Amino acid sequence: MKITFYGHASLGIEIAGKFIIVDPYISANPKASHIDIHALKADYILLTHAHQDHIFDVEAIAKRTNAIIISNAEIAGHYSKKGLKSHPMNHGGSWKFDFGTVKFVNAIHSSSFPDGSYGGNPGGFVIEGEHKNIYIAGDTALTMDMKLIPMRTKLDLAILPIGNNFTMDIDDAIIASDFVECDKILGYHYDTFGFIEINHEQSIKKFFDKGKDLMLLKIGESIEL
C-alpha cells in the first residue's frame, strides 16, 4: 500500500493495483501548484464531506478517469445527478471493493456544498486492504467513537487532522491515536492557510514524547506500508 500526500487533506492511495484519491483539493491550493491533477490516476474517489476544501477537483478528476465516488448518500447522490459514478454509504456501513473493504465511520464536523446546500453527515473511512489497514479520520473533533475502531480493525496507520481551529489539534490527535490504538500517524489538514498553521518540530516532538511517530510529508511525498 502506497500513500501520497497531495496537500491539505488530499491523498493518493495505491492498493492492489487500484488508485484512490481522497478529498481532492489540489488545483486551488497554491502550496500544491506542482501537482498536476490531469496526471493523477483514479479508480475511486473517497470524500469525507462536502466542504470546498475537500471536493474542489472531484468533477475534473472523475470525468477524466471515470472513477467511482465513494461518500455519504447525499454526496454520492449529488454527483450521480451530474452523471458521475458513485457508491453511497452511511455511518457504520461497510462494502467490499476490489481493492479491499471500506467502512464509513463517524466524524464530528459539518458538511455543506459551496452553495450552502446540504452535504450529509461528515465521516471518515477505515480501509482494510492488502494486509494493511488504515484509518482516514476526515475533518473531525476528538470523539469517543474512535474507540470503536480497534474493536474491529487493527490499524497499521491512522491519518489524523492536526491543524486545530476547524479540527483536532496536536494534543487531541495524540489522544485520538490512543483511542484507535495506533502509534504510527500521518498528519494532515494543516498549514494550508493561517488558521491551521502548526509548529512542525514541536508537533513531532509531542508525539515522540508519547512513544508515537508523527509523519508530516512534503506535498507529493509518499510512504509505503
Side-chain angles (χ1 to χ4, degrees):
M1 183 184 295
K2 182 178 180 180
I3 301 170
T4 304
F5 181 52
Y6 291 129
H8 195 53
S10 302
L11 305 164
I13 305 173
E14 185 178 351
I15 310 174
K18 299 297 180 179
F19 296 88
I20 304 162
I21 301 291
V22 182
D23 287 356
Y25 173 75
I26 302 169
S27 64
N29 181 3
K31 296 179 182 291
S33 59
H34 57 294
I35 304 296
D36 180 8
I37 66 165
H38 303 293
L40 298 180
K41 297 179 180 179
D43 298 296
Y44 299 89
I45 300 172
L46 271 59
L47 302 177
T48 62
H49 62 293
H51 288 164
Q52 181 164 300
D53 60 330
H54 293 256
I55 67 166
F56 191 89
D57 294 313
V58 170
E59 292 186 42
I61 295 173
K63 287 176 180 177
R64 178 179 57 82
T65 63
N66 207 30
I68 298 171
I69 297 165
I70 303 171
S71 192
N72 67 38
E74 290 79 8
I75 293 174
H78 172 87
Y79 287 112
S80 288
K81 290 177 182 177
K82 292 175 176 285
L84 301 174
K85 293 182 179 179
S86 69
H87 180 102
M89 300 192 75
N90 218 320
H91 294 98
S94 61
W95 191 262
K96 188 172 183 180
F97 295 92
D98 54 5
F99 61 86
T101 300
V102 175
K103 185 171 185 176
F104 193 67
V105 296
N106 196 29
I108 305 298
H109 197 59
S110 56
S111 179
S112 58
F113 288 97
D115 64 2
S117 60
Y118 181 52
N121 290 315
F125 297 99
V126 175
I127 301 175
E128 298 180 355
E130 207 176 52
H131 309 296
K132 298 293 182 181
N133 304 322
I134 65 173
Y135 167 45
I136 304 169
D139 283 13
T140 188
L142 178 66
T143 169
M144 295 292 284
D145 287 348
M146 293 172 177
K147 287 191 171 185
L148 298 172
I149 292 172
M151 293 181 182
R152 288 282 300 267
T153 305
K154 180 174 175 54
L155 296 174
D156 297 285
L157 178 71
I159 303 172
L160 304 177
I162 56 174
N164 204 4
N165 195 70
F166 299 110
T167 68
M168 296 187 292
D169 63 4
I170 289 293
D171 295 317
D172 278 355
I174 290 172
I175 298 171
S177 70
D178 289 334
F179 284 4
V180 301
E181 298 178 12
C182 185
D183 293 335
K184 192 177 185 67
I185 308 300
L186 176 62
Y188 79 160
H189 206 278
Y190 66 93
D191 280 0
T192 314
F193 34 81
F195 285 127
I196 59 173
E197 291 178 353
I198 66 168
N199 182 310
H200 290 215
E201 290 185 5
Q202 184 183 77
S203 300
I204 291 170
K205 185 177 186 303
K206 280 189 172 186
F207 271 84
F208 180 81
D209 288 345
K210 296 294 185 179
K212 302 171 185 290
D213 178 21
L214 173 65
M215 293 173 286
L216 302 178
L217 299 180
K218 295 178 180 178
I219 296 176
E221 190 175 2
S222 302
I223 57 170
E224 295 201 27
L225 298 179

